[in-house]
Amino acid sequence: MLPQVKVGVGCFVVRRVAGATQFLLGERHGGLSPGLWGLPGGHLEFGEQWSECAQRETHEECGVNIADWRHVATTNDIFENSHYVTVFMKAEFDAERMRVKLAEPHKCKQWIWVSWEELCRRQSTLRNACTSKTSDLASVEFSPFHSLQSLQTLYTDKYPPWLQ
């Protein structure tokens, strides 16, 4: 049987605080990559729309119910032992009516809000980890943060216009 291309959905949950844009990131817990940070997200299920996957994953992982998702980017990431197409979706977080919770404490240690610059700083920590053990990280499970390497390369010193 030929190896299969897998489809993941990475979720940019965005909030505005005093005119600044922040993104929700989770610290992974357990597995081969404890301490690494990632966006909410996961695998696209058979027959599922991208927006449905984003809504399901953010509800499962963060306890928030966001229905208004839009596609912002797609990456095609080929690792030594796996191949992922990652669809990035974006939605606004309404702090007036939503609260983030740690819905899967066995997978995620905490959720925090970060700026794009902080997201890029945390991403460079992941890049270093992936350089030393890419095949281990890529073969275990999907992490939308791995695919951010492709996106962040284009937007190192600037804010991506598609996230505004």
Side-chain angles (χ1 to χ4, degrees), residues 9-16 21-23 39 50-51 54-55 58 66-73 87-93 159-164:
V9 174
C11 305
F12 283 105
V13 179
V14 179
R15 76 174 182 181
R16 316 280 178 199
T21 302
Q22 296 180 325
F23 305 92
L39 299 171
W50 298 342
S51 58
Q55 183 174 10
T58 52
I66 304 173
D68 189 22
W69 291 93
R70 72 178 178 93
H71 174 251
V72 293
V87 177
F88 287 93
M89 303 293 285
K90 175 193 163 208
E92 298 288 328
F93 179 83
Y159 186 78
W162 41 262
L163 283 177
Q164 295 183 26

Side-chain angles (χ1 to χ4, degrees), residues 125-140:
T125 301
L126 178 66
R127 184 182 301 111
N128 293 339
C130 285
T131 301
S132 63
K133 55 179 184 176
T134 300
S135 61
D136 289 343
L137 291 173
S139 64
V140 175

Side-chain angles (χ1 to χ4, degrees), residues 93-99:
F93 179 83
D94 183 355
E96 296 292 319
R97 62 179 190 88
M98 297 178 189
R99 296 289 175 259

Side-chain angles (χ1 to χ4, degrees), residues 14-89:
V14 179
R15 76 174 182 181
R16 316 280 178 199
V17 177
T21 302
Q22 296 180 325
F23 305 92
L24 187 63
L25 285 184
E27 182 180 6
R28 294 189 57 168
H29 182 65
L32 289 177
S33 52
L36 296 181
W37 294 85
L39 299 171
H43 289 105
L44 185 69
E45 294 181 358
F46 182 81
E48 191 173 43
Q49 297 295 318
W50 298 342
S51 58
E52 293 169 336
C53 181
Q55 183 174 10
R56 176 180 53 79
E57 288 291 348
T58 52
H59 184 263
E60 288 175 2
E61 296 178 11
C62 315
V64 296
N65 209 2
I66 304 173
D68 189 22
W69 291 93
R70 72 178 178 93
H71 174 251
V72 293
T74 303
T75 62
N76 182 34
D77 300 295
I78 302 169
F79 301 101
E80 184 179 325
N81 295 321
S82 64
H83 181 176
Y84 273 96
V85 172
T86 304
V87 177
F88 287 93
M89 303 293 285

